[in-house]
Every structure is written in C-alpha cells, then in structure tokens.
Amino acid sequence: MTLSIRSATPQDLPLIADLIRALADYEKLADAVRFDDAVLGAKLFGARPYAEVIIGELDGTAQGFALFFHNFSTFEGKPGIYLEDLFVRPEARGSGLGKALLARLAALAVERDCARLEWSVLDWNEPAIGFYKKLGARLMDEWTVMRVDGADLARLGAEPGVEGGKSA
C-alpha cells in the first residue's frame, strides 16, 4: 500500500466538498453543512485564500483530508497552524493516513516557524482523543471555546461607533 500526502488544487474542490460532507455525517452534523461549493472554492483557492487543504491518498485514491489555516500566538510572537478538520474515510482508518496527515501538518508548522499546531475535538469522540494523545497531543481543559455567529455576529458587527475597524 502506497501512502501519499499532497496539497489540494482547485480541481480537488468536488473531492473536498465530498470529504467535508462525509466528516459531517460521521460527526452527526450533516444538517450543519451549509456551504456553497463555488464560495468554498473561492475561499480556498481565490485571490486571498483563507485556508489550505492537504489530501491523503492510499494507492492513488483520496481517502482523507486536513483543512487548516494560520492563527497567531501573541504570547509566543509567532504564527501557529489551526487544524479545522481532519477526516479519514472509515475504510482507510488504521492505515496510518491520519497520522501521516498530522505529521505533514507538524512538518509545515516547523517549516513555517510556527509555535504550535492545535485543533478541537468533540468530547464524545474517544477514538480520536486516544489517537491524538498517542501522538503527543494534550487536552486543553482550561480553555472553553466561544463562538458568535449568525444573527448575533451581524448584530455585534453593527454595534454603534464601529466603522471600518475604528472606534468612534
């Protein structure tokens, strides 16, 4: 079995969309997938890419992916890599592909002088948590994820006195 990791190209957009939907099915979140393929393509491969994707293949067949982007640590004064999504198709699990995807991200983080590689995992996903711990990852129990989206995001962004990123 030949395992390979490669950077995604615009031609991979249908594959990426399929893998995202497969991940959502696995996480029991299929109803949360609302992206438009064309918009996703523009955000990944347009003039200002917001994220990157690597594709994991077994014997030339795509079986997984990792979607990631840079964040920044003010305490470290360096960028980091945030892994938004990692997914390996069920039939390819146990092949080493998930580890290879994470290893490639770790190598990119080192190449790019990043301070860290981090991600979130669902509390119920014990197989993934165990897998990540074996690779040296640790739970960040002291942190709680916060999110503002939808109507609340629009409302916050429309607060009086905020225009063009400058306070009144």
Side-chain angles (χ1 to χ4, degrees), residues 34-134:
R34 296 183 291 274
F35 68 82
D36 173 271
D37 288 35
V39 173
L40 177 64
K43 300 302 182 188
L44 292 177
F45 303 109
R48 184 182 189 276
Y50 288 88
E52 299 174 61
V53 177
I54 55 175
I55 305 291
E57 297 178 337
L58 293 174
D59 295 328
T61 300
Q63 295 289 358
F65 83 116
L67 187 147
F68 62 98
F69 53 88
H70 284 277
N71 55 17
F72 195 84
S73 169
T74 54
F75 289 4
E76 296 282 348
K78 290 183 173 186
I81 289 180
Y82 186 83
L83 171 61
E84 178 68 23
D85 287 321
L86 173 74
F87 179 72
V88 173
R89 292 188 192 276
E91 60 270 22
R93 292 186 187 143
S95 68
L97 192 58
K99 183 177 182 178
L101 286 163
L102 281 168
R104 179 64 188 132
L105 289 177
L108 284 172
V110 171
E111 289 169 21
R112 297 176 183 185
D113 194 30
C114 294
R116 58 186 168 220
L117 167 62
E118 58 191 0
W119 61 93
S120 297
V121 60
L122 292 167
D123 292 345
W124 60 260
N125 197 345
E126 289 297 329
I129 292 168
F131 169 69
Y132 297 144
K133 284 182 175 180
K134 285 181 188 172

